[in-house]
Amino acid sequence: MAFYYDEPSRTFSEYLLIPGYTAPDCIPDNVSLKTPLVKFKKGEKPSLSLNIPLASAIMQSVSDDTMAVALAKEGGISFIYGSQPIESEAAMVARVKSYKAGFVVSDSNLKPDATLADVLETVERTGHSTIAVTEDGTGSGRLLGIVTGRDYRVSRMSTDEKVSSFMTPFEKLVTAPDTTTLKEANDIIWDHKLNSLPIIDSEQRLVYLVFRKDYDQHKENPNENLDSKKRYIVGAGINTRDYAERVPALVEAGADVLCIDSSEGYTCWQKQTIDFIREKYGDSVKVGAGNVVDRDGFMFLAEAGADFVKVGIGGGSICITRETKGIGRGQATALIEVSKARDEYYEKTGIYIPVCSDGGIVHDYHMTLALAMGADFMMLGRYFARFDESPTPKININGTYVKEYWGEGSNRARNWQRYDLGGKAKLSFEEGVDSYVTYAGSLHDNVEKSLYKVKSTMCNCGVLSIPELQKNAKITVVSSTSIVEGGYHDVMLKNK
């Protein structure tokens, strides 16, 4: 006879936190969200940590190199999506590792024989008004001039006028050599009252642009997640099929941590993948595994050697695994059981294996609940897909700006490796949908707002760190009636 659980599996929305005593020093500014990313032994510190408990999902519509840089600036981590050619994923990882804070590789470039129409199209396409004019029209060509909005007036010029006739020529530009530090570049910008400073090599080839506006932004990111060489931390997704070729390429590119991307992780193939990594690299290459939803799944991956374990099956907003296969578990219940298993394993072995809650986060307060229930950090897809930094275009539909968001198990992504059970090399049926999410603006502004809510709630609970929250939180199940009571009720809203 099948095993039946006594209790139903529950979601985050079925729980609330009970306030604790808030002391005078318990204010959001004093809250630390630092959290371990990979396993460590008792008494030691993890080799990789996060300054905020957020990771962007291993998805085509979420995590590319642009997202990785933006999230690392805030203190989190992105896992570059693995459902692409090995060379492409490795190149994205390499771009993140070679990114110099404040130094921007120009993505708006034209040849001198381009026209004003080309300038307008480039500005519309990239959203950037500073255009480098190079000999070959690339971001690393010989610099001939710069075009900004101050160099042309659409109402007084013909759109077929050549860029060479109205650009600011190289001879009139203030430039700096590629040995210039960020501090020196910013000093030049301020001394010469510039908006941007081209950084060039000895042969006049463009290397970077440094912008005045980035100076303040750089100062606003004290939580930047950096490695020992001051490079941004970045993760990368792998699968259980081509790991023998993909892992070496990603390690060579500089990936700080890998994660097996699979809808279900309690499998022999995940162990085989981890075994390969351990045999080839020992413990020097960090790899997370999952997804699981119970104690047995966690213990299996812990014994297999996973550096962190991801929890969640079917809870993502674009995931239909539960609908198509009848497999999964409510995210809150799954997280609570796996976190207990993590603590049990730690008591038994002295090795702490971080737990990542993947899926089921709908509202910001769900983040705090996930942390209180034992998650060391969270992986989010829909949340990050809404931002400027995600890979998909911003589209206007019936007056509302949206961004595209699709599941890795959708027909569009065709990431069959994620759902592979040793069968045919194709997507047999869909486990995800293709959708839109409402555009929300910049990552920085939204993450700052969401995490301020988390910190504020932690203060209501009387705690100043994630470990304190997990130890001292009081959580209650709420009835369907009290869920209704929690929103506005028995009033008529004014028209906005």
Side-chain angles (χ1 to χ4, degrees):
M1 181 177 176
F3 176 81
Y4 290 86
Y5 286 90
D6 294 331
E7 292 292 324
S9 66
R10 300 185 182 276
T11 66
F12 293 129
S13 291
E14 296 177 77
Y15 291 91
L16 287 173
L17 288 157
I18 303 298
Y21 171 69
T22 304
D25 65 337
C26 201
I27 58 175
D29 284 348
N30 291 339
V31 173
S32 168
L33 294 178
K34 193 175 181 68
T35 191
L37 175 60
V38 297
K39 67 183 178 184
F40 59 95
K41 293 180 180 178
K42 189 173 185 177
E44 298 180 356
K45 291 184 178 180
S47 59
L48 288 172
S49 295
L50 301 176
N51 293 323
I52 61 171
L54 301 182
S56 65
I58 311 169
M59 302 176 72
Q60 295 174 6
S61 55
V62 179
S63 295
D64 64 357
D65 48 310
T66 301
M67 175 63 71
V69 169
L71 187 49
K73 284 181 178 179
E74 303 301 319
I77 190 170
S78 288
F79 285 84
I80 303 293
Y81 69 92
S83 52
Q84 59 177 317
I86 294 172
E87 299 76 17
S88 301
E89 185 180 11
M92 285 189 181
V93 169
R95 285 198 291 273
V96 177
K97 298 309 292 185
S98 64
Y99 184 92
K100 295 174 68 176
F103 291 86
V104 178
V105 175
S106 178
D107 68 352
S108 302
N109 313 288
L110 292 172
K111 293 181 179 180
D113 60 354
T115 64
L116 176 58
D118 295 319
V119 170
L120 299 177
E121 188 278 329
T122 301
V123 172
E124 174 69 21
R125 176 171 50 82
T126 66
H128 300 150
S129 59
T130 299
I131 297 174
V133 183
T134 61
E135 205 166 57
D136 60 2
T138 70
S140 58
R142 186 168 176 270
L143 183 64
L144 302 179
I146 292 285
V147 172
T148 70
R150 294 179 300 179
D151 294 313
Y152 59 87
R153 293 187 68 177
V154 178
S155 61
R156 296 188 179 185
M157 295 169 61
S158 170
T159 54
D160 60 5
E161 189 165 338
K162 299 292 186 184
V163 165
S164 56
S165 68
F166 60 86
M167 69 182 186
T168 302
F170 180 81
E171 296 74 28
K172 293 185 178 181
L173 293 175
V174 176
T175 63
D178 54 5
T179 55
T180 305
T181 66
L182 184 59
K183 182 182 185 305
E184 291 169 342
N186 283 316
D187 287 343
I188 294 171
I189 286 174
W190 288 99
D191 290 345
H192 293 271
K193 299 180 179 179
L194 306 173
N195 287 321
S196 64
L197 174 69
I199 305 296
I200 60 174
D201 67 12
S202 58
E203 297 181 12
Q204 201 176 308
R205 289 192 297 259
L206 180 63
V207 182
Y208 299 111
L209 292 171
V210 178
F211 292 93
R212 174 190 288 261
K213 64 180 178 62
D214 287 341
Y215 176 79
D216 291 332
Q217 185 184 44
H218 182 61
K219 292 295 184 182
E220 290 172 2
N221 293 315
N223 283 328
E224 287 182 321
N225 201 2
L226 305 172
D227 65 17
S228 59
K229 296 179 180 178
K230 304 298 183 185
R231 301 175 301 179
Y232 286 125
I233 297 290
V234 62
I238 60 174
N239 61 67
T240 58
R241 277 278 180 153
D242 65 8
Y243 55 83
E245 297 80 33
R246 191 174 294 269
V247 170
L250 296 174
V251 171
E252 177 68 22
D256 296 280
V257 58
L258 306 175
C259 183
I260 304 172
D261 182 29
S262 175
S263 65
E264 203 273 291
Y266 192 5
T267 72
C268 60
W269 296 287
Q270 294 235 347
K271 185 177 186 306
Q272 288 172 7
T273 304
I274 297 173
D275 285 345
F276 167 82
I277 292 172
R278 293 292 173 251
E279 289 169 10
K280 186 173 179 64
Y281 299 101
D283 292 328
S284 64
V285 171
K286 306 302 180 184
V287 56
N291 287 14
V292 298
V293 292
D294 66 355
R295 177 186 180 278
D296 291 344
F298 173 86
M299 290 298 184
F300 172 78
L301 292 178
E303 294 294 341
D307 286 293
F308 66 84
V309 173
K310 255 186 335 125
V311 179
I313 295 177
S317 59
I318 40 68
C319 184
I320 55 173
T321 294
R322 298 180 193 174
E323 201 173 309
T324 57
K325 295 171 73 173
I327 180 175
R329 200 176 194 187
Q331 186 67 13
T333 300
L335 180 58
I336 290 168
E337 180 171 326
V338 171
S339 296
K340 286 180 179 177
R342 184 264 323 277
D343 294 343
E344 177 189 338
Y345 188 83
Y346 179 56
E347 287 297 318
K348 176 183 175 183
T349 66
I351 299 173
Y352 187 92
I353 301 177
V355 165
C356 170
S357 179
D358 179 16
I361 301 290
V362 180
H363 306 292
D364 286 345
Y365 83 88
H366 288 171
M367 295 182 183
T368 321
L369 277 168
L371 296 172
M373 290 173 178
D376 295 282
F377 62 101
M378 296 158 282
M379 183 171 281
L380 304 103
R382 181 195 62 86
Y383 178 83
F384 287 111
R386 304 172 301 145
F387 303 151
D388 288 319
E389 294 81 359
S390 73
T392 62
K394 183 173 69 172
I395 304 170
N396 190 320
I397 296 182
N398 298 325
T400 299
Y401 280 106
V402 297
K403 298 200 78 176
E404 293 178 299
Y405 178 48
W406 60 91
E408 289 297 292
S410 68
N411 192 53
R412 179 171 182 174
R414 303 200 66 78
N415 183 7
W416 63 269
Q417 296 95 332
R418 188 175 197 273
Y419 302 87
D420 178 43
L421 292 174
K424 297 177 181 178
K426 66 177 184 177
L427 189 70
S428 300
F429 54 87
E430 293 184 64
E431 294 190 41
V433 299
D434 197 345
S435 65
Y436 296 113
V437 289
T438 303
Y439 169 69
S442 76
L443 180 145
H444 172 77
D445 292 342
N446 282 278
V447 166
E448 186 176 56
K449 182 178 180 180
S450 295
L451 293 185
Y452 189 84
K453 290 181 185 178
V454 171
K455 290 180 178 180
S456 180
T457 305
M458 289 171 66
C459 289
N460 292 141
C461 295
V463 301
L464 291 172
S465 68
I466 293 172
E468 284 184 23
L469 177 66
Q470 293 169 346
K471 179 182 178 182
N472 299 325
K474 293 184 288 185
I475 303 174
T476 182
V477 175
V478 293
S479 68
S480 57
T481 306
S482 61
I483 291 174
V484 174
E485 180 187 64
Y488 65 84
H489 58 90
D490 301 307
V491 296
M492 290 176 16
L493 290 183
K494 294 180 180 180
N495 291 327
K496 293 184 179 179

